[in-house]
């Protein structure tokens, strides 16, 4: 179990006191945005996801501030709109609907006083826009430069496209969306055009006034009277960004794995029905994120690569169609991309191929109970390619017949369609086909010796291809195939039909395709749009190779087109700096509106509405909020801002367009604060020894408690401070003595194997290398051998004799493959090996003279160097070097194999942003295993704990401080702070999986428990696990239990209706996957969780899981993780709420328990044992209960030690036997007795007798009522007629008798005579002879339960006593002459009848009133003489003569 712990306070340090820096905001400002998507939920909240070039995603949510814009379908109401007042978000406990406090007053579409305040429109503009329907061009209504009034005038008056001036080329910031912060001028009016040549255009102007039309459809909109009471007489003129302050927050930051360079987020698609975000990275990794809690629930790694050139593909687009209620087809498209080092070799501008690589996946959404998790399945193999750009590929589904169509524009600008069919999985398995196709370009075995050109994939077309392309373009109607797209029709589970060409869709050679969107409008009609940066073209086509029909889309904008989206069949929106809405009109040859599409109809795109968006980094439109356009822009200060442009056609013209700011970063970008140092690298050596590398070139040492518990300082702290700061807060333990004068991008721990000293090797951003001593942080050496930063290192030990000159050196590899060889003795740079155009894969050293080094690169090439002379000997291939290595004398130098660091904490991989750098992954299992041992070993009071234990408690307190959520209960907060020693922390805890890491931002502790059941379970499990470990300290035990009880039982009451109870399926999974410390906490929380569930929820949970019980699965699935998880959930639910379950469910659960219990090879026998102990009274009715008990007996006495500690289940089986013996005593004793008397094997009898001895030690009261039966079975097992049996159990029987005599006063044994006396609850004593293993006779003298008995030293007297009667009886039990004539009868007692030899009464008063358990402890006999016995009853001592 991994816990992401983020220490925000250390991400940036500064000399001067300034406002606190929000690390997530600073990281968001500095990273390059690559993808932007938005949506709106049913409760009216806007969400946006912003992907970055580092592979991270930031999730924002925005509370609605104007509810009238949230639902344009609401009926208009008339009300007086009060002046807007911003109320900051209050504590969630105040009102659950605080985000909708203005919903009633702002609901009316006629509320102009508020809506007009959000856009800067003059009074004249409002009048004109409300009455004019003359067709005009959408004006440019966003101006950023006050010194260009002439240009503005020309743009507004002229209808021609503005010419690109010098300023457009210089001011490239507009392409990047950077906004020059000046007071914006008043926006010109946005006019509503009429449809040309439409019937409405022939009407009079007065009719147009009385017949307003919706701008986005042909449906009449409701008419609102101009004299609405909500209209202010003279509305206040505001700038476009006045009004409500930001109400948005960064909900979470998601760091995908892998991340960093080459793993940018290239595309995202939101699935509204499943609340999932599908993310595609340019490396080809596909992920599904649950937007309820921003966690990664599924991932699919990129396709397999057959050659080095296959790495140079950039996956950039995602297409998605639903195929069922919970399944979606996802098409990922990639285009050729240059390698990262192409600019270095001057090949970045080389023409690329226009091919696109495709792959298809099926996304299956998981069920709410966790039975079937969300998952991706790869449907197509990775050889699927089409002749066209990736941005020109679209995937469509015909809703009428469910057919799939691949639509794309090829390299000759032809529109091509291809029908797809998804082959069922069972059909593939039946045919035995492989999902992976063989490489289309197989390599010959004896190929010539060449170094492959990694840029071959980007080569220009051949002369033949160019000629053929020209022929196709000249034909105009038919397209010849340039090259075969694929060599097979079946690609995995995707079956491809023949391609159909529909003609040229792009005729202009200057039209560079940037995107395509299409949809089905009829049974077989496809309508679509293609666009470049500046132009848009529409097309429509049908079946049977119908030629494509194109139509122009009038569009003018200063910025580039960022997206085009269909709102329905007849309307679409274009996203640019001018947001334009269009409607499609079908006309016939006479320019009249046509109702039926045909070959004679013409489609016209009419611009109906425009809105000034201004330059933006990215724009987003979503179908869930069709009238809201969200924009992301960056200010000149470096801060980013998210805005929403709302266009509501059902409102008055003056308020149709609104623009308001949803969120603006308050923190500056990282590295822009004067006098500050930014965290650049982290190296966790130990829990109390963590190194931080900063941008000022210094290394600083701190510890985990300091990182997690640092609070804001009251005074400024110098960057070089390393002494303890006042108020008990330590900033840094040490700081390096000298700076490297450059940012430290990475750090590696190295060790001199001769001296044992350890050092820190750091790589700087200027290509330098610096080495510090680990203990003192003194700079040892510094040099700059590279032009790009260091990336990897390898250490060659002195013991490697074949390494030659490389012995005792460090191999430092830069980003371009250059290797600097540094001696670890004296830190002198020895050699410098130049880099290559391909990354290094592995390094070999040795050879005949141990003076060679072979560098093998990722493209399959290899180079051989002479180390001492630095001479390049030859170039070869990886295959040829294999023969060389097989001859011997070579060693493989492993890259990135440095000195081991802490196993409890680690860094995030991939991304190198401030948030990921200031986040450490804590392995909770290893951390608790380490700390629990130290806490147990101390065993002292807090005040007298030695230093190591104090450090351990500090670590536990630090982690607990981050996990706890103070503010929920003052009493619990007081306990945590004053007694447990925790303090509120600025650090945060996120959620980690094997797929991604999520960092949360919470404004209130209630939000922690309101995200999802999975996140709640993860958080409370960590809290309870740490508290259980902390409770091992005796002084803290009681308070820890109090806090555990609160978090287990009281959160639902404290948090309220928004509380997300911990997911029991997630807790069950952690029980299987975690160590014992976390497992105990998971079991505690799981038990509390199933008790909390209602009857309906419990039944639904069992119904979902019971079909996966082991007894119902085939043999290969019985041991699967899902089957064992099903048994865990259903088994414990049945043990707790068996009355809710059906008989069939209980039978299946019982059979599954027995299945695991009897399977010696099962890894889940421990689960079966625990369930046996938990609900044996239930299972015994549906299976062979005695067989289950016998299996437990065998496991309880098994002395074999398994290699895996988790499978050493003997103690667990013994505990289960004790519980079953307590709850089902009759069945237990019957089975026990039968197994002693009639065992199947001698080993079984021996193991059962060992179990009896164990029971006597642990649960004597269970055996007490059945002692006579048990002792009879033990005596009969010593039958002398069965020598083998007697010898096998003699030791066990002797042990049992010894434990019984020692534990129970009513049983005594005389060694010399081998006589055994056993008292019964009826008052009789049975005498056994162990020599013959027979019963001699029964002494019946007591009328009530006896309390004790004892033999005299010579064995001729037996004294028995009953506390209830207050009498001591003396019996003669020695052998006599009369015994031979009357076998089975007791000896004569000196008088007639069966009366005892002596009867002695006594009275000890109330001391005689005691329980059976007390008699075992307080009653005993002692023989001071041959015929004198002394009886002890508590404090009373009685002496009798026998």
């Amino acid at each position: 179990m991994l816990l992401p712990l983020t220490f925000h306070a250390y991400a940036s340090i500064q000399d001067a006191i300034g406002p606190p820096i929000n690390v997530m905001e600073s990281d968001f400002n500095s990273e390059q945005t690559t993808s932007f998507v938005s949506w709106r939920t049913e409760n009216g909240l806007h969400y946006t996801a912003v992907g970055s070039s580092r592979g991270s995603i930031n999730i924002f949510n925005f509370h609605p501030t104007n509810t009238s814009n949230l639902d344009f379908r609401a009926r208009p109401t008339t009300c007086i709109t009060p002046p807007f007042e911003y109320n900051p978000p209050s504590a969630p406990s105040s009102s659950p609907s605080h985000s909708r406090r203005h919903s009633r007053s702002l609901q009316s579409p006629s509320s102009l006083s508020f809506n007009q305040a959000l856009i800067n429109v003059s009074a004249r503009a409002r009048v004109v826009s409300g009455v004019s329907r003359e067709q005009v061009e959408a004006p440019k209504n966003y101006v950023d430069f006050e010194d260009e009034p002439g240009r503005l005038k020309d743009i507004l008056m002229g209808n021609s496209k503005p010419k690109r001036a010098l300023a457009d080329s210089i001011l490239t910031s507009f392409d990047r969306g950077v906004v020059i912060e000046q007071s914006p001028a008043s926006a010109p009016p946005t006019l509503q055009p009429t449809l040309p040549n439409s019937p409405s255009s022939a009407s009079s102007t007065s009719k147009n006034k009385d017949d307003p039309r919706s701008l986005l459809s042909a449906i009449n909109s409701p008419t609102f009277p101009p004299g609405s009471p909500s209209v202010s007489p003279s509305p206040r003129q505001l700038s476009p960004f006045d009004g409500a302050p930001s109400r948005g927050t960064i909900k979470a930051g998601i760091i995908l794995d892998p991340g960093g360079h080459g793993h940018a987020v290239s595309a995202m698609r939101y699935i509204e029905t499943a609340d999932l975000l599908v993310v595609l990275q340019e490396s080809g990794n596909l992920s599904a994120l649950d937007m309820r809690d921003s966690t990664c629930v599924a991932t699919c790694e990129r396709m397999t690569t057959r050659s080095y050139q296959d790495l140079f593909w950039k996956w950039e687009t995602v297409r998605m169609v639903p195929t069922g209620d919970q399944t979606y087809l996802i098409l990922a498209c990639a285009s050729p991309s240059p390698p990262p080092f192409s600019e270095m070799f001057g090949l970045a501008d080389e023409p690329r191929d226009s091919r696109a690589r495709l792959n298809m996946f099926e996304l299956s959404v998981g069920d709410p109970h966790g039975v079937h998790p969300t998952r991706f399945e790869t449907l197509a193999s990775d050889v699927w390619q089409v002749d066209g750009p990736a941005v020109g590929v679209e995937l469509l589904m015909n809703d009428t017949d469910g057919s799939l169509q691949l639509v794309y524009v090829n390299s000759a600008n032809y529109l091509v369609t291809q029908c797809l069919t998804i082959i069922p999985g069972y059909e593939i398995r039946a045919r035995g086909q492989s999902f992976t196709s063989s490489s289309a370009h197989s390599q010959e075995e004896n190929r010539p010796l060449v170094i492959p050109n990694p840029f071959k994939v980007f080569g220009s077309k051949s002369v033949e291809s160019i000629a053929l392309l020209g022929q196709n373009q000249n034909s105009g109607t038919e397209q010849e195939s340039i090259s075969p797209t694929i060599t097979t029709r079946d690609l995995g589970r995707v079956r491809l039909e023949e391609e159909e060409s529909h003609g040229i869709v792009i005729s202009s050679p200057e039209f560079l395709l940037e995107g395509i969107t299409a949809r089905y409008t009829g049974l077989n009609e496809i309508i679509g749009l293609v666009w470049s940066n500046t132009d848009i073209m529409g097309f429509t086509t049908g079946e049977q190779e119908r030629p494509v029909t194109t139509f122009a889309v009038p569009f003018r904008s200063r910025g580039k087109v960022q997206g085009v989206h269909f709102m329905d069949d007849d309307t679409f929106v274009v996203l640019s700096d001018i947001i334009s809405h269009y409607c499609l009109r079908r006309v016939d040859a006479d320019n009249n509106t046509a109702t039926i599409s045909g070959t004679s109809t013409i489609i016209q795109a009419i611009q109906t509405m425009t809105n000034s968006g201004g330059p933006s980094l990215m724009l987003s439109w979503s179908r869930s909020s069709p009238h809201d356009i969200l924009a992301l822009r960056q200010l000149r200060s470096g801060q980013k801002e998210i805005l929403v442009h709302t266009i509501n056609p059902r409102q008055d013209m003056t308020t149709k367009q609104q623009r308001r700011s949803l969120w603006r970063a308050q923190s500056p970008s990282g590295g822009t604060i004067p006098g500050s140092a930014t965290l650049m690298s982290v190296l966790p050596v130990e829990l109390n020894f963590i190194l931080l590398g900063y941008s000022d070139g210094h290394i600083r040492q701190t510890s985990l408690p300091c990182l997690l518990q640092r609070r804001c300082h009251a005074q400024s702290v110098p960057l070089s401070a390393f002494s303890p700061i006042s108020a008990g807060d330590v900033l840094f333990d040490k700081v390096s003595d000298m700076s490297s004068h450059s940012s430290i991008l990475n750090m590696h721990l190295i060790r001199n194997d001769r001296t044992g000293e350890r050092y820190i090797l750091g790589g700087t951003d200027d290509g330098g290398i610096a080495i510090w001593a680990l203990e003192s942080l003194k700079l040892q050496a510094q040099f700059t051998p590279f032009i790009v930063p260091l990336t990897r290192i390898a250490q060659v030990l002195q013991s490697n004799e074949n390494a030659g000159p490389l012995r005792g050196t460090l191999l430092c590899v830069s980003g371009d493959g250059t290797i600097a060889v540094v001696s670890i003795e004296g830190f002198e740079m020895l050699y410098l090996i130049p880099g290559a155009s391909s990354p290094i894969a592995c390094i070999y050293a040795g050879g005949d003279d141990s003076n060679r080094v072979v560098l093998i690169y990722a493209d399959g090439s290899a180079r051989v160097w002479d180390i001492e002379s630095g001479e390049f000997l030859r170039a070869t291939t990886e295959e040829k070097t294999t023969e060389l290595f097989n001859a011997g004398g070579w060693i493989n130098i492993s890259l990135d194999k440095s000195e081991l660091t802490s196993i409890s904490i680690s860094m995030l991989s991939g991304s190198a942003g401030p948030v990921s750098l200031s986040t450490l992954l804590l392995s909770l299992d290893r951390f608790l295993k380490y700390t629990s041992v130290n806490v147990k070993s101390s065993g002292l009071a807090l005040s007298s704990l030695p230093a190591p234990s104090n450090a351990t408690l500090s670590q536990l307190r630090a982690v607990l401080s981050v996990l706890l959520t103070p503010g929920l209960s003052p009493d619990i907060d007081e306990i945590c702070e004053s007694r447990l020693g925790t303090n509120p922390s600025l650090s945060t805890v996120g959620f980690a999986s094997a797929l991604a890491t999520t960092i949360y931002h919470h404004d209130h502790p209630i939000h922690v428990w309101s995200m999802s059941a999975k996140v709640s379970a993860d958080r409370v499990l960590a809290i309870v696990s740490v508290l259980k470990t902390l409770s091992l300290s005796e002084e803290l035990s009681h308070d820890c239990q109090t806090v555990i009880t609160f978090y287990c039982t009281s959160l639902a009451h404290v948090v309220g209706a928004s509380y997300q109870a911990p997911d029991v399926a997630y807790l069950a999974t952690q029980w299987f996957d975690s160590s014992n410390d976390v497992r105990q906490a998971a079991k505690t929380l799981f038990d509390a969780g199933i008790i909390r569930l209602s009857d309906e929820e419990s039944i639904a949970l069992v119904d979902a899981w019971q079909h996966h019980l082991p007894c119902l699965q085939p043999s290969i699935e019985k041991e699967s993780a899902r089957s064992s998880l099903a048994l865990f959930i259903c088994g414990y639910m049945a043990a707790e709420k068996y009355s809710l379950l059906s008989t069939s469910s209980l039978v299946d659960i019982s059979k599954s328990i027995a299945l695991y219990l009897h399977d010696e090879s099962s890894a889940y026998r421990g689960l079966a044992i625990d369930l046996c102990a938990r609900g044996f009274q239930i299972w015994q009715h549906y299976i062979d209960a005695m067989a289950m008990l016998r299996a437990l007996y065998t496991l309880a006495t098994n002395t074999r030690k398994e290699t895996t500690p988790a499978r050493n289940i003997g103690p667990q089986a013994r505990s289960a036997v004790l519980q079953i013996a307590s709850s089902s005593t009759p069945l237990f004793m019957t089975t026990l007795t039968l197994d002693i008397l009639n065992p199947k094997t001698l080993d079984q009898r021996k193991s059962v007798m060992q179990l009896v001895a164990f029971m006597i030690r642990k649960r004597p009261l269970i055996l007490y009522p059945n002692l006579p039966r048990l002792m009879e079975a033990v005596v009969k097992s010593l039958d002398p007629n069965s020598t083998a049996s007697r010898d096998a159990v003699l030791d066990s029987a002797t042990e049992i008798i010894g434990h019984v005599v020692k534990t129970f006063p009513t049983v005594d044994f005389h060694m010399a005579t081998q006589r055994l006396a056993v008292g019964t609850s009826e008052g009789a004593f049975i005498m056994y002879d162990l020599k013959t293993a027979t019963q001699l006779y029964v002494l019946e003298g007591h009328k009530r339960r006896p309390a004790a008995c004892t033999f005299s030293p010579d064995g001729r007297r037996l004294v028995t006593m009953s506390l209830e009667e207050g009498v001591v009886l003396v019996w003669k039990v020695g052998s006599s002459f009369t015994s031979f004539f009357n076998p089975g009868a007791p000896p004569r007692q000196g008088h007639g009848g069966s009366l005892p030899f002596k009867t002695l009464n006594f009275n000890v008063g109330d001391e005689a009133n005691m329980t059976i358990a007390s008699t075992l402890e307080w009653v005993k006999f002692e023989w001071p003489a041959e015929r004198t016995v002394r009886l002890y009853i508590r404090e009373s001592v009685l002496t009798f003569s026998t």
Side-chain angles (χ1 to χ4, degrees), residues 1270-1314:
L1270 178 62
M1271 298 313 298
E1272 180 183 9
V1274 172
V1275 170
K1276 289 184 178 181
S1277 68
L1278 297 175
D1279 187 359
N1281 296 323
S1282 177
T1283 306
S1285 175
R1286 181 183 177 96
D1287 294 341
V1289 301
L1290 182 60
D1291 293 339
S1292 299
T1294 303
E1295 182 183 3
I1296 290 175
I1297 293 173
H1299 284 299
V1300 168
V1301 172
K1302 183 179 179 180
T1303 305
F1304 299 99
T1306 56
V1307 180
D1308 198 17
F1309 174 70
H1310 190 262
M1311 180 68 69
T1313 61
Q1314 292 290 296

Side-chain angles (χ1 to χ4, degrees), residues 190-193 195 214-216 581-583 606-610:
T190 302
L191 306 182
Q192 176 186 6
L195 304 180
S214 170
L215 298 177
L216 300 179
H581 287 74
Y582 295 83
C583 68
I606 312 299
Q607 189 178 54
T608 59
M609 187 185 305
T610 60

Side-chain angles (χ1 to χ4, degrees), residues 953-970:
L953 291 178
S954 298
Q955 294 165 2
L956 286 169
R957 290 191 179 104
V959 175
L960 187 60
S961 298
V962 182
L963 292 173
L964 295 174
T965 53
L968 298 178
S969 170

